[in-house]
Amino acid sequence: MSNHFDVIIIGAGASGLYCALTAGRRGRRVLVLDHANKVGKKILMSGGGRCNFTNYFVESEHFIGANEHFCKSALSRYPSWEFIAMVEQHKIAYHEREHGQLFCDDSAQDIVTMLLDECSAAGVQVKLNTQVDQVKTPNSDHRQDVSKRFQLLTSKKLSKKELHDTAAQSKTSQTNYSCESLVVATGGLSIPTMGASGLGYELAQQFGHQLLTTDASLVPFTFTDRTGEILRALSGISLPVVASNTRTAFKLPLLFTHRGLSGPAMLQLSNYWQTGEMIEINLLPDIDITALLLAHKKSHPKQLVRTVLAENTDNQLPKKLLVALQTMLWEEVKETELANIKDERLQEIGSAINGWQLKPSGTEGYRTAEVTRGGVNTDEISSKTMQSNLQDGLYFIGEVLDVTGWLGGYNFQWAWASGFVCGEVV
Ligand code: FDA
């Protein structure tokens, strides 16, 4: 029966394609369905078009999720060098950037082409522009026929033009598929224009799974109050900082944007941030500013705070930023000589620069977030196979699960690893 498959995977993204090629190599008859008009859209846009496809140093500490142990088994069974070996076999040139991050030399398209070539060599079929309208388990009472555990009703996804064309709409036929194993690889909610949808979460709920609150993550912070105005004026400035909150700290570059704060330091911190919380930024992590100001009060009592900072911080504070900090942090003593500023006030200024306290009003949200944190509760999923504990033959892989990686190739490594361990058993 042509519409019957051993394995149907919903989602032709990173985890879905990796799972497909792994299962296909085992001789399984695999179909991948996607409602988008192209496979791997997020791979194509990742890493500024060069795809940060993995990292040399992958540990469970680089991932967050309610169950911090869940990711360990898959990551240890599919280490990053396995993916690197495939990249090398396909003669894709790549390079290492700071913190072990690996990027393609040329284009993220190389990774998509590699995955599609491997899928095609393994006999995997991929069907795009396909909407999954319904998933049923008609055989749940007849356990002897596990090969047709799931029945899917799909329809052609209409293009924007077709949506306004009633003739095209009436021609849209529905197709039924059946399969033994159903893999949900629909990713998260970020960048809806790239095909993100909530289908994976809906299917999880249909089969009784618990969802953990989802939120945009690896995402810039926004500010609406007066701080927002000041930050906007600094747009384009970048400097290395330590960004922290009560749970974590990252020493990485910060970027001021016309919407607020971005750059690797902020994206990483966003994984650990909840709405309403403060963040702290050490703008000069290698210099104790309080000690510097107090020492200069003794040695150069006639100097101003801004002069000390401009002359003794190795040009680490761009002039525009220094002026903005002055407006925010020591406006009332900006023209006062150090000798006439109390030690306590200098301490406050030093602490503010080494620990600038800010309260973001929010984040840029799913529109620009790299990932979705939260998702399908991993307590109800086997960490060895990604199979549901509630429904035989149902699997969840990739970002739809409550596993979120740091910036640096970790989210793709999770997609490959979870796709691999699932592809080995479906
Ligand atoms: P992924 O999103 O890859 O695939 C999901 C697939 O499911 C899509 O093809 C989608 O069309 C399909 N789908 C969704 N709903 C459907 C429905 N209702 N019916 C049918 N199909 C449906 N990570 C990293 O490690 N290094 C990096 O450099 C980057 N860079 C980066 C940049 C940007 C801009 C973004 C948005 C994200 C990244 N990421 C990243 C994160 C990374 O892209 C992401 O974590 C993985 O692609 C997740 O893989 P999945 O397979 O889970 O979902």
Side-chain angles (χ1 to χ4, degrees):
M1 208 175 112
S2 63
N3 282 356
H4 176 71
F5 291 82
D6 297 323
V7 185
I8 293 184
I9 300 169
I10 309 177
S15 63
L17 292 175
Y18 209 90
C19 180
L21 68 90
T22 309
R25 283 171 176 179
R26 290 173 43 237
R28 303 293 280 163
R29 194 155 177 261
V30 182
L31 172 70
V32 186
L33 300 174
D34 201 304
H35 65 171
N37 58 356
K38 254 194 212 167
V39 303
K41 283 190 174 185
K42 281 197 187 158
I43 303 176
L44 292 172
M45 73 189 301
S46 68
R50 292 225 158 82
C51 186
N52 177 195
F53 55 82
T54 191
N55 195 294
Y56 275 136
F57 315 109
V58 179
E59 302 290 343
S60 59
E61 290 77 39
H62 299 123
F63 296 84
I64 57 167
N67 178 352
E68 62 193 37
H69 304 293
F70 179 80
C71 62
K72 289 181 180 171
S73 172
L75 292 173
S76 69
R77 279 180 47 216
Y78 189 86
S80 54
W81 54 260
E82 291 271 8
F83 193 80
I84 298 167
M86 187 187 274
V87 166
E88 288 180 355
Q89 249 172 33
H90 283 255
K91 305 206 177 340
I92 298 173
Y94 66 92
H95 60 276
E96 181 185 357
R97 295 194 193 161
E98 63 281 6
H99 311 293
Q101 306 171 80
L102 301 185
F103 286 77
C104 296
D105 282 1
D106 297 326
S107 162
Q109 179 65 56
D110 292 344
I111 299 293
V112 173
T113 305
M114 172 186 85
L115 295 170
L116 280 180
D117 286 351
E118 291 286 339
C119 278
S120 143
V124 171
Q125 292 182 47
V126 178
K127 203 158 182 287
L128 299 176
N129 297 308
T130 302
Q131 196 165 289
V132 177
D133 299 322
Q134 201 178 48
V135 174
K136 289 196 295 185
T137 47
N139 295 318
S140 54
D141 295 334
H142 306 91
R143 283 169 202 278
Q144 66 276 22
D145 191 7
V146 291
S147 72
K148 289 184 196 153
R149 257 190 209 128
F150 299 96
Q151 281 194 359
L152 279 73
L153 184 63
T154 69
S155 54
K156 180 176 181 269
K157 183 153 186 195
L158 298 173
S159 66
K160 269 190 195 149
K161 200 171 146 227
E162 287 168 329
L163 274 173
H164 298 289
D165 176 351
T166 37
Q169 282 181 38
S170 63
K171 268 192 253 157
T172 307
S173 58
Q174 290 191 310
T175 310
N176 281 292
Y177 294 98
S178 59
C179 61
E180 180 180 341
S181 299
L182 179 66
V183 182
V184 179
T186 44
L189 295 169
S190 56
I191 326 267
T193 48
M194 288 292 131
S197 85
L199 178 70
Y201 305 123
E202 287 158 28
L203 288 174
Q205 282 181 310
Q206 178 185 331
F207 288 97
H209 280 271
Q210 201 198 356
L211 295 183
L212 300 184
T213 311
T214 51
D215 209 348
S217 219
L218 294 183
V219 63
F221 289 111
T222 54
F223 297 81
T224 47
D225 53 9
R226 185 162 169 267
T227 317
E229 277 168 44
I230 295 168
L231 297 180
R232 266 188 288 286
L234 301 172
S235 178
I237 291 177
S238 173
L239 74 163
V241 301
V242 172
S244 62
N245 62 10
T246 49
R247 294 182 279 283
T248 191
F250 292 99
K251 189 172 187 183
L252 285 167
L254 162 78
L255 174 68
F256 292 86
T257 72
H258 61 284
R259 289 201 192 86
L261 294 177
S262 185
M266 292 297 109
L267 300 189
Q268 294 283 37
L269 193 60
S270 71
N271 264 356
Y272 294 85
W273 182 79
Q274 303 293 337
T275 306
E277 288 180 355
M278 302 292 292
I279 61 169
E280 184 175 300
I281 300 172
N282 185 342
L283 291 163
L284 291 164
D286 301 322
I287 305 172
D288 180 338
I289 300 300
T290 300
L292 179 77
L293 291 173
L294 291 175
H296 275 72
K297 184 175 174 179
K298 283 197 184 123
S299 60
H300 301 81
K302 289 192 175 308
Q303 279 195 341
L304 303 178
V305 172
R306 68 169 173 274
T307 322
V308 179
L309 293 175
E311 289 177 2
N312 298 280
T313 55
D314 300 327
N315 296 321
Q316 283 182 61
L317 280 183
K319 190 160 175 234
K320 235 177 165 182
L321 174 58
L322 182 55
V323 173
L325 288 171
Q326 176 175 272
T327 309
M328 285 186 285
L329 304 176
W330 66 94
E331 174 79 5
E332 86 292 357
V333 290
K334 69 178 184 188
E335 302 303 336
T336 310
E337 293 172 353
L338 289 175
N340 297 322
I341 305 177
K342 285 189 173 150
D343 286 0
E344 294 76 34
R345 187 70 189 98
L346 291 176
Q347 256 162 20
E348 276 171 18
I349 297 167
S351 306
I353 294 172
N354 282 138
W356 190 20
Q357 303 285 324
L358 290 161
K359 189 172 182 180
S361 53
T363 69
E364 288 187 14
Y366 291 120
R367 194 179 55 80
T368 61
E370 284 204 9
V371 287
T372 301
R373 110 190 136 188
V376 177
N377 185 351
T378 53
D379 284 347
E380 295 163 348
I381 305 288
S382 157
S383 63
K384 294 195 169 51
T385 62
M386 304 295 136
Q387 183 168 209
S388 157
N389 295 338
L390 310 180
Q391 167 65 53
D392 283 348
L394 178 66
Y395 298 79
F396 293 88
I397 56 174
E399 202 182 309
V400 74
L401 288 165
D402 173 33
V403 176
T404 306
W406 285 12
L407 194 72
Y410 299 105
N411 285 295
F412 279 136
Q413 186 56 31
W414 171 246
W416 319 135
S418 57
F420 172 78
V421 297
C422 178
E424 286 260 283
V425 295
V426 283

PDB file of all heavy atoms in Angstrom, residues 26 37 62 80 93 123 182 301 304:
ATOM      1  N   ARG A  26      18.454   2.068   8.088  1.00  0.00           N
ATOM      2  CA  ARG A  26      18.135   0.762   8.693  1.00  0.00           C
ATOM      3  C   ARG A  26      17.137  -0.024   7.850  1.00  0.00           C
ATOM      4  O   ARG A  26      16.669  -1.081   8.267  1.00  0.00           O
ATOM      5  CB  ARG A  26      17.549   0.964  10.103  1.00  0.00           C
ATOM      6  CG  ARG A  26      18.543   1.450  11.131  1.00  0.00           C
ATOM      7  CD  ARG A  26      17.859   1.797  12.461  1.00  0.00           C
ATOM      8  NE  ARG A  26      16.872   0.820  12.856  1.00  0.00           N
ATOM      9  CZ  ARG A  26      15.579   1.081  13.096  1.00  0.00           C
ATOM     10  NH1 ARG A  26      15.113   2.312  12.995  1.00  0.00           N
ATOM     11  NH2 ARG A  26      14.750   0.133  13.434  1.00  0.00           N
ATOM     12  N   ASN A  37       7.360  25.126   2.087  1.00  0.00           N
ATOM     13  CA  ASN A  37       7.657  24.839   0.675  1.00  0.00           C
ATOM     14  C   ASN A  37       9.122  24.463   0.461  1.00  0.00           C
ATOM     15  O   ASN A  37       9.551  24.207  -0.653  1.00  0.00           O
ATOM     16  CB  ASN A  37       7.289  26.046  -0.201  1.00  0.00           C
ATOM     17  CG  ASN A  37       8.027  27.301   0.237  1.00  0.00           C
ATOM     18  OD1 ASN A  37       8.745  27.287   1.237  1.00  0.00           O
ATOM     19  ND2 ASN A  37       7.852  28.383  -0.494  1.00  0.00           N
ATOM     20  N   HIS A  62      25.285  22.743  29.004  1.00  0.00           N
ATOM     21  CA  HIS A  62      24.972  23.724  27.961  1.00  0.00           C
ATOM     22  C   HIS A  62      23.493  23.711  27.577  1.00  0.00           C
ATOM     23  O   HIS A  62      23.105  24.316  26.575  1.00  0.00           O
ATOM     24  CB  HIS A  62      25.811  23.452  26.713  1.00  0.00           C
ATOM     25  CG  HIS A  62      27.285  23.560  26.952  1.00  0.00           C
ATOM     26  ND1 HIS A  62      28.170  22.542  26.696  1.00  0.00           N
ATOM     27  CD2 HIS A  62      28.025  24.562  27.469  1.00  0.00           C
ATOM     28  CE1 HIS A  62      29.389  22.911  27.037  1.00  0.00           C
ATOM     29  NE2 HIS A  62      29.327  24.136  27.508  1.00  0.00           N
ATOM     30  N   SER A  80      29.332  15.232  19.149  1.00  0.00           N
ATOM     31  CA  SER A  80      29.436  16.169  18.017  1.00  0.00           C
ATOM     32  C   SER A  80      30.375  15.658  16.925  1.00  0.00           C
ATOM     33  O   SER A  80      30.173  15.943  15.748  1.00  0.00           O
ATOM     34  CB  SER A  80      29.856  17.557  18.489  1.00  0.00           C
ATOM     35  OG  SER A  80      31.028  17.509  19.240  1.00  0.00           O
ATOM     36  N   ALA A  93      33.574  22.407   3.730  1.00  0.00           N
ATOM     37  CA  ALA A  93      34.622  23.146   4.449  1.00  0.00           C
ATOM     38  C   ALA A  93      33.996  23.867   5.642  1.00  0.00           C
ATOM     39  O   ALA A  93      32.900  24.431   5.536  1.00  0.00           O
ATOM     40  CB  ALA A  93      35.254  24.153   3.504  1.00  0.00           C
ATOM     41  N   GLY A 123      16.658   6.236   0.875  1.00  0.00           N
ATOM     42  CA  GLY A 123      15.322   5.946   0.347  1.00  0.00           C
ATOM     43  C   GLY A 123      14.194   6.698   1.033  1.00  0.00           C
ATOM     44  O   GLY A 123      13.019   6.330   0.906  1.00  0.00           O
ATOM     45  N   LEU A 182       5.234   7.235  14.603  1.00  0.00           N
ATOM     46  CA  LEU A 182       5.014   8.640  14.238  1.00  0.00           C
ATOM     47  C   LEU A 182       5.982   9.509  15.038  1.00  0.00           C
ATOM     48  O   LEU A 182       6.015   9.438  16.273  1.00  0.00           O
ATOM     49  CB  LEU A 182       3.572   9.049  14.554  1.00  0.00           C
ATOM     50  CG  LEU A 182       3.238  10.503  14.228  1.00  0.00           C
ATOM     51  CD1 LEU A 182       3.294  10.751  12.717  1.00  0.00           C
ATOM     52  CD2 LEU A 182       1.849  10.882  14.750  1.00  0.00           C
ATOM     53  N   PRO A 301      43.183  64.479  42.689  1.00  0.00           N
ATOM     54  CA  PRO A 301      41.907  64.940  43.283  1.00  0.00           C
ATOM     55  C   PRO A 301      41.119  65.913  42.413  1.00  0.00           C
ATOM     56  O   PRO A 301      39.916  66.084  42.611  1.00  0.00           O
ATOM     57  CB  PRO A 301      42.357  65.596  44.589  1.00  0.00           C
ATOM     58  CG  PRO A 301      43.819  65.861  44.444  1.00  0.00           C
ATOM     59  CD  PRO A 301      44.354  64.848  43.498  1.00  0.00           C
ATOM     60  N   LEU A 304      37.789  64.677  37.022  1.00  0.00           N
ATOM     61  CA  LEU A 304      36.358  64.345  37.027  1.00  0.00           C
ATOM     62  C   LEU A 304      36.205  62.831  36.848  1.00  0.00           C
ATOM     63  O   LEU A 304      37.110  62.177  36.306  1.00  0.00           O
ATOM     64  CB  LEU A 304      35.645  65.054  35.872  1.00  0.00           C
ATOM     65  CG  LEU A 304      35.764  66.581  35.841  1.00  0.00           C
ATOM     66  CD1 LEU A 304      35.047  67.137  34.608  1.00  0.00           C
ATOM     67  CD2 LEU A 304      35.162  67.199  37.115  1.00  0.00           C
TER      68      LEU A 304
END
